[in-house]
Amino acid sequence: MVKFWKKYICFFLSLLTFITSEAADYYRVTADVLNVRTQPSKKGEVIGCVKRGQVVKSINDDSPEGWIHIDENGVSGYVSASYLKFSHSDKGEQAASSESAFQKLSDKLESFALPDIGERLMTFIIVLLLIIQIVFVKLEIRELTWVAVLLLALVAIAELYYLLMDDVDITWFCERFEVGWFGCVIGFIGFALFLYGQLIATLETLGSINKSSGVYVNWIWGVASWGVGILAAFALSIFDADIEGFGIIFILYQAGFCIYVLIVNIMEKQILKGILYPLFYLLIMIPFSILLAAFLALVIIVAIALLIGGALLGGSSSGRRGGGNVTLDDGTELYETGIDTYRDHNGNYWSRNGDRFTREDN
């Protein structure tokens, strides 16, 4: 679990696309020339070759360890895994450089060994900090805007710490085995309220920054873009579309928004704030967007479960009913005459109690 969330953070820090895209079976060749053989052995006949930087697609089969079965330009054979490096896409050398930067950042995050405070305690700390921040913002003490900024920054730092802890499950309060079904429902509602509260606190704090500095920045264009980006990434992933291209566009948009904040502040001769405010914006939005993505994933899972459950119930019901009529297991057809009352072909009347049908004269 920890690797997933650390890579998810990389997803927002480096390239939006890698962590949400499906793990395609692509490999980049690291040898100058790599032979393709008929058998997974050095004794196999050479039937072709691939060159350095070329990206090949593997065939998912039970290849022996140390060998990978590939299909390249119609040539199907085995190559040594020692000269291949996993690739997140089939874009070749251009993608390799960005992938390398992503991998370095991912490895760096995974090397962190933060003390494990505990999921429940960290959740309590984050919620408590957010409540304090919301209360302070609602007091509207303009002279102490920096306190509201500091409190929200502490919330974001605590969330990042939480996400980087070893073996953490950020949605433990929505796990049936952890809290039971009732606790799962309460945890889901609480998660939604928490995200809503953090969103309001974020907008209120950013608005207080505008008031105290005298520099107007339309922060909603930046804040809303994260939610739109997550929904778009989910949609593109479902339809197996070009999510990498979208990720680059998303990052360029965020960079452009930060430059916009910088320029607006420079025009008002507030260079230091022009540098600090975009950094503050990124600090609070990265962990919030990760939590939002987790919540939306839960919503999708619940929606799918409800749809499947409804389809199963509907299918079960349709097997017994047809236009208000019911066919019993012995083939007797009943025609609905009222609420839970039926009549068969012989004129006999039936009553219904749940799934049980009883003839009135019995």
Side-chain angles (χ1 to χ4, degrees):
M1 193 67 184
V2 62
K3 290 184 177 180
F4 171 79
W5 291 113
K6 287 179 180 179
K7 287 186 177 180
Y8 211 107
I9 294 172
C10 291
F11 166 83
F12 287 108
L13 292 176
S14 56
L15 287 177
L16 176 72
T17 58
F18 289 138
I19 207 66
T20 56
S21 60
E22 296 182 1
D25 296 325
Y26 294 108
Y27 294 88
R28 181 165 49 86
V29 180
T30 59
D32 292 333
V33 177
L34 182 60
N35 291 326
V36 181
R37 301 178 183 273
T38 56
Q39 300 295 328
S41 169
K42 291 183 177 180
K43 296 181 180 180
E45 180 185 354
V46 177
I47 55 176
C49 65
V50 288
K51 298 180 180 180
R52 179 184 295 275
Q54 189 173 345
V55 176
V56 296
K57 184 177 181 179
S58 70
I59 299 176
N60 294 322
D61 62 3
D62 297 328
S63 300
E65 185 177 355
W67 294 85
I68 292 180
H69 192 185
I70 68 169
D71 185 359
E72 182 65 18
N73 295 328
V75 178
S76 178
Y78 294 87
V79 294
S80 174
S82 302
Y83 303 100
L84 296 178
K85 183 178 181 180
F86 178 77
S87 175
H88 290 277
S89 70
D90 59 348
K91 305 300 183 183
E93 288 289 353
Q94 184 177 2
S97 58
S98 57
E99 177 184 324
S100 177
F102 164 80
Q103 191 62 45
K104 289 180 181 178
L105 182 56
S106 177
D107 293 341
K108 184 66 175 179
L109 286 174
E110 290 180 12
S111 66
F112 290 164
L114 298 176
D116 189 356
I117 298 178
E119 295 171 348
R120 287 168 173 77
L121 180 57
M122 279 301 301
T123 301
F124 173 77
I125 292 173
I126 294 170
V127 172
L128 181 61
L129 285 172
L130 180 61
I131 292 174
I132 295 173
Q133 204 275 340
I134 291 175
V135 171
F136 188 87
V137 168
K138 290 300 181 181
L139 293 177
E140 296 185 351
I141 305 177
R142 296 185 181 181
E143 296 79 7
L144 298 177
T145 301
W146 65 271
V147 177
V149 172
L150 177 61
L151 287 171
L152 190 57
L154 287 176
V155 172
I157 292 171
E159 289 172 342
L160 285 174
Y161 188 97
Y162 189 19
L163 295 170
L164 288 170
M165 287 196 312
D166 290 335
D167 301 321
V168 66
D169 183 0
I170 65 172
T171 58
W172 63 268
F173 41 80
C174 291
E175 294 288 342
R176 178 172 62 88
F177 298 106
E178 290 280 348
V179 296
W181 283 115
F182 179 76
C184 189
V185 173
I186 297 300
F188 184 83
I189 296 174
F191 196 7
L193 292 175
F194 172 84
L195 290 173
Y196 175 75
Q198 186 164 345
L199 176 62
I200 296 301
T202 298
L203 294 176
E204 291 279 358
T205 302
L206 293 174
S208 66
I209 287 177
N210 285 345
K211 293 178 182 178
S212 63
S213 64
V215 179
Y216 177 75
V217 174
N218 192 350
W219 293 102
I220 195 67
W221 287 102
V223 175
S225 65
W226 294 86
V228 174
I230 292 170
L231 291 175
F234 279 148
L236 291 172
S237 297
I238 292 173
F239 294 103
D240 196 24
D242 181 19
I243 195 169
E244 283 193 22
F246 169 76
I248 295 174
I249 294 174
F250 179 83
I251 291 176
L252 291 176
Y253 178 86
Q254 295 302 325
F257 181 78
C258 290
I259 293 173
Y260 153 71
V261 176
L262 174 62
I263 293 175
V264 170
N265 280 272
I266 289 178
M267 291 176 64
E268 297 295 332
K269 300 180 180 179
Q270 299 190 31
I271 300 176
L272 180 59
K273 291 182 179 179
I275 296 174
L276 293 179
Y277 287 164
L279 295 177
F280 171 71
Y281 158 77
L282 293 174
L283 172 64
I284 60 178
M285 291 309 303
I286 288 173
F288 175 76
S289 59
I290 295 174
L291 295 175
L292 179 61
F295 176 75
L296 292 178
L298 287 175
V299 171
I300 293 173
I301 292 173
V302 172
I304 292 175
L306 291 176
L307 287 174
I308 294 176
L312 292 176
L313 291 176
S316 175
S317 176
S318 63
R320 302 184 61 87
R321 290 174 176 264
N325 302 332
V326 176
T327 301
L328 300 181
D329 294 335
D330 61 359
T332 302
E333 292 187 8
L334 304 180
Y335 298 88
E336 189 173 11
T337 59
I339 299 176
D340 290 335
T341 58
Y342 298 82
R343 187 174 183 271
D344 61 19
H345 285 292
N346 298 322
N348 300 313
Y349 286 90
W350 297 69
S351 63
R352 178 180 180 179
N353 184 12
D355 289 333
R356 183 179 179 182
F357 292 82
T358 306
R359 212 168 79 177
E360 293 294 343
D361 57 349
N362 287 344

